[in-house]
Amino acid sequence: DAVWREQWELPNEVERARLAVPGAGEAQAFSAHVAVQEIVQGQGFGKVFAPMLNLLVHPSKPSFRQKALKALEQVVVLDPKTLANDQVRKGVLRLMGDPAKLVRAQAVSLVGSYMATSPQLLKEYFVGVCDRCRDTGVSVRKAAMLILRDCLATEGQASEIVDGACVAMIPLLKDESSDIRKQISHLLKSMWFPQPPSAGLSVAARFAQIRGVVAEAHKSGITDRDG
């Protein structure tokens, strides 16, 4: 309890004592974050994670890069903010374009659990995930599609995220995978043509959303590429 209260800049000890103690879930997340930060601040991020960061970009062994991603995943489970670190972000984004399909899929999936709930991580990884909707690997395209679907399900999502996600996913309506085609079709129908029609956004809001997506598609050149 004392450690929790010490994190807040309050005018006096009386106010500090009145600060509510977090529940079990919040306490666990807070403790994990403090633990990771103590390690990093005590020894330096580069020193602590240097071996893992080196394996993330290992030039000849995809299996090493996969193992590094798995190790990173364990750290991220303790503290999702690790994904916001500049070195980690660059490494993960690079692996999203890795020559090995399994590495690409794993890199995309790594950020998927956190993008929908973290505006910061959504901003930093959004373009990278959108690009993977054009990946040659079905598993990678599906992983990217599922992440964008979850982001669209977030209430009050920014219009630029909605537009960008839809533009990235619309070409998947012609995907070779019937499962991907089916899921994209269902997603877009539920967004723009819900049943009953009164569900979800108003008609005006849905029209504005479609208009924004069309404008973004023209701007990105997708209409020229896909007809």
Side-chain angles (χ1 to χ4, degrees):
D1 295 358
V3 175
W4 168 262
R5 292 191 172 97
E6 285 173 3
Q7 305 305 308
W8 303 93
E9 295 182 1
L10 296 174
N12 54 57
E13 289 299 323
V14 175
E15 291 298 321
R16 193 186 301 274
R18 289 175 180 171
L19 185 67
V21 177
E26 292 175 317
Q28 183 177 10
F30 173 73
S31 297
H33 176 64
V34 169
V36 172
Q37 291 302 310
E38 285 294 324
I39 294 172
V40 171
Q41 291 172 7
Q43 302 182 45
F45 191 94
K47 184 176 180 180
V48 174
F49 293 106
M52 181 173 62
L53 292 172
N54 288 336
L55 288 176
L56 281 176
V57 294
H58 195 285
S60 60
K61 293 286 186 180
S63 60
F64 286 0
R65 298 194 294 273
Q66 278 187 272
K67 289 177 181 178
L69 279 172
K70 288 181 180 178
L72 177 59
E73 183 178 7
Q74 298 305 309
V75 177
V76 171
V77 167
L78 288 175
D79 186 11
K81 294 184 180 67
T82 304
L83 286 171
N85 176 272
D86 189 56
Q87 296 177 66
V88 172
R89 179 181 58 80
K90 289 178 180 178
V92 173
L93 288 174
R94 177 174 176 173
L95 292 184
M96 286 186 184
D98 195 87
K101 179 179 68 176
L102 290 177
V103 174
R104 297 196 305 273
Q106 192 172 339
V108 171
S109 298
L110 173 65
V111 302
S113 301
Y114 308 98
M115 282 178 60
T117 57
S118 170
Q120 180 186 5
L121 295 180
L122 175 59
K123 179 181 179 181
E124 294 183 352
Y125 289 96
F126 181 70
V127 173
V129 172
C130 286
D131 288 345
R132 289 307 98 202
C133 285
R134 301 193 299 271
D135 198 275
T136 56
V138 174
S139 60
V140 183
R141 295 197 303 275
K142 187 171 183 179
M145 178 266 294
L146 293 175
I147 292 172
L148 295 178
R149 180 198 66 185
D150 291 343
C151 291
L152 289 176
T154 302
E155 187 175 350
Q157 191 61 269
S159 59
E160 58 268 25
I161 296 297
V162 174
D163 295 347
C166 289
V167 167
M169 292 190 294
I170 284 173
L172 297 179
L173 288 167
K174 300 178 181 179
D175 197 87
E176 64 184 69
S177 166
S178 59
D179 183 48
I180 290 179
R181 293 197 307 269
K182 186 184 299 181
Q183 291 203 49
I184 291 296
S185 177
H186 176 74
L187 172 64
L188 296 179
K189 284 180 180 178
S190 64
M191 283 178 59
W192 295 330
F193 309 102
Q195 294 299 325
S198 58
L201 298 174
S202 67
V203 174
R206 292 201 299 270
F207 177 75
Q209 198 174 77
I210 293 172
R211 186 172 56 189
V213 170
V214 171
E216 181 64 25
H218 281 290
K219 188 169 74 172
S220 66
I222 191 175
T223 51
D224 297 330
R225 296 196 304 268
D226 299 297

